[in-house]
Amino acid sequence: MDSIDLFKDAFTRVAEELPRQLDGLPADSLLRRAHTTGNPIAWLVWHIGRCEDAQMAALDDRTEVWDTGWRERFDLPYGPHDGGYGQSQKEVDRFTVADPGLLLGYYAAVHEQTLDVLEAERGKSLDRIVDATWDPPVTAGVRIVSVINDITQHLGQIAYLHGLPSVRSNVPAPGWRQP
């Protein structure tokens, strides 16, 4: 197995697991939190997509999937390039998308483009610098591993939240409030 095939496998595992994590959750559970702060499942799914979309599209100078009509479909009260990085709790509170079909549809489109980007990476040097603003500069390979690391951590957060009785039921968690 070469590195591109390994990367494809890692991203595909996320794409296969996300629908399982949303399966059976009522829409209101997608916006519930474990506590008064923190990110709800729906926001985490959106953020996974935005993270992967922005970072992977940039590797191959592609248009982000977000900019092909998805931003308008989500109709979020955020800037056009926002993806959740550095958002305040008040900004997260304004996230209201609870449609699993929309969330998973966006991620499926992102995943499809990610696989295309990875295929385009085949034969290119993964050691090439893609962001010189960091010290040390970020290579293509490090960028891909960073994205995988970020999205798998968030997938783990989703799995944790999915299993909490306060998220799966109508019983509010201590300190929970409606967004």
Side-chain angles (χ1 to χ4, degrees):
M1 177 180 278
D2 68 12
S3 56
I4 297 300
D5 291 335
L6 188 63
F7 293 150
K8 283 181 168 185
D9 183 64
F11 282 105
T12 297
R13 288 173 188 232
V14 173
E16 291 172 349
E17 184 61 27
L18 269 176
R20 286 194 283 266
Q21 290 301 321
L22 272 56
D23 187 40
L25 285 179
D28 66 331
S29 291
L30 292 172
L31 294 175
R32 293 176 63 96
R33 297 174 172 163
H35 199 267
T36 57
T37 61
N39 302 319
I41 289 172
W43 185 95
L44 287 163
V45 174
W46 168 76
H47 176 63
I48 285 172
R50 290 296 296 125
C51 169
E52 184 176 324
D53 190 7
Q55 305 260 0
M56 295 302 290
L59 278 180
D60 199 36
D61 294 323
R62 294 179 188 227
T63 300
E64 293 177 28
V65 172
W66 185 246
D67 293 326
T68 64
W70 288 97
R71 181 169 40 95
E72 293 79 12
R73 290 177 69 188
F74 273 74
D75 192 31
L76 293 171
Y78 306 145
H81 303 292
D82 284 352
Y85 288 109
Q87 281 190 328
S88 69
Q89 200 61 60
K90 287 183 180 183
E91 290 170 312
V92 173
D93 289 346
R94 294 188 342 233
F95 188 91
T96 59
V97 176
D99 177 357
L102 181 62
L103 294 161
L104 293 172
Y106 171 58
Y107 187 76
V110 168
H111 178 64
E112 185 178 320
Q113 177 159 288
T114 293
L115 295 179
D116 289 345
V117 167
L118 288 169
E119 198 54 47
E121 286 295 306
R122 198 178 295 281
K124 293 181 185 177
S125 172
L126 293 175
D127 291 328
R128 75 183 188 286
I129 304 298
V130 296
D131 189 346
T133 63
W134 292 87
D135 185 19
V138 178
T139 64
V142 166
R143 175 60 46 86
I144 294 167
V145 169
S146 264
V147 173
I148 292 168
N149 179 59
D150 190 48
I151 68 174
T152 56
Q153 286 186 54
H154 291 311
L155 183 61
Q157 291 169 335
I158 291 168
Y160 173 77
L161 289 170
H162 183 141
L164 290 176
S166 61
V167 171
R168 289 195 58 80
S169 72
N170 291 326
V171 178
W176 179 84
R177 62 181 160 66
Q178 177 69 34

